[in-house]
Amino acid sequence: MNRRTLTRTALLAAFAIATVGWTHAALGPPWVSIEYPPSPYDTTTRDAFLLVHAFHHGTPMDFPVSGTAEGIVKGERRSVKLDFAKTSRTGVYALRKKWQSDGTWTLVIGVTQGAGEGNTVSAIVDLAANGAVAQVRVPTSQRDGWAIPQRVSMQEVEAALRIRAGASVAGR
């Protein structure tokens, strides 16, 4: 290789490394928010239980959304896969109810941006005894002034669900 080709190759390699590093840092994690109750005036959300908003920073994004309804009904553990439908708005998905009305339920909803560690954010939605949304949490930690999504384990969901189900039985 001559000197000119070697210099050009070195510059292109340095640019590629810098670009990949910048792109990864600029991406950051996705974000999720829950809208409840949804508007009955939009035909794509009319019969939805709640809406899931997927974001990258403040920009709505059509990222994949998935989740499960985790419940305890009459002392038995239940898990129901959730289906999300696109709505008329970018990054907004409608969730229609597929779980039973009785029992204690928590919805675990995830938004994923690409592959790899730290590219999923989860919303934990606890339902009240009357079936309404009681609480929404997005587990995070703080890093450099930013809320960074934390992994949610099914063991944590299970433990919290059992505590809520026990409190529900004790409160009767």
Side-chain angles (χ1 to χ4, degrees):
M1 242 190 253
N2 67 29
R3 187 171 174 72
R4 184 175 175 190
T5 303
L6 186 59
T7 302
R8 183 181 302 162
T9 302
L11 285 173
L12 286 174
F15 177 77
I17 289 168
T19 302
V20 168
W22 175 83
T23 302
H24 179 70
L27 283 179
W31 192 253
V32 62
S33 70
I34 304 298
E35 179 181 343
Y36 176 84
S39 170
Y41 302 113
D42 180 340
T43 58
T44 62
T45 67
R46 184 166 292 141
D47 296 323
F49 177 72
L50 57 75
L51 302 179
V52 177
H53 295 258
F55 295 98
H56 172 71
H57 297 283
T59 305
M61 302 295 288
D62 285 329
F63 291 143
V65 176
S66 61
T68 56
E70 303 296 333
I72 297 176
V73 180
K74 297 179 183 164
E76 291 188 28
R77 187 69 171 77
R78 306 286 166 96
S79 186
V80 178
K81 183 180 181 298
L82 301 176
D83 295 318
F84 299 89
K86 284 187 152 208
T87 68
S88 59
R89 294 181 283 161
T90 300
V92 180
Y93 301 85
L95 171 64
R96 288 176 173 70
K97 185 177 177 201
K98 292 178 61 177
W99 56 93
Q100 293 175 240
S101 294
D102 56 333
T104 303
W105 291 92
T106 295
L107 309 179
V108 181
I109 300 169
V111 171
T112 302
Q113 166 186 281
E117 185 71 26
N119 287 330
T120 297
V121 60
S122 297
I124 309 302
V125 182
D126 293 331
L127 304 183
N130 66 1
V133 170
Q135 176 177 298
V136 177
R137 297 181 314 281
V138 179
T140 61
S141 66
Q142 292 293 314
R143 187 177 337 143
D144 299 326
W146 292 94
I148 305 298
Q150 295 297 291
R151 292 183 64 89
V152 176
S153 75
M154 287 312 290
Q155 291 83 1
E156 293 169 310
V157 172
E158 177 80 22
L161 185 60
R162 292 211 176 271
I163 290 169
R164 288 181 48 239
S168 174
V169 170
R172 289 186 194 157

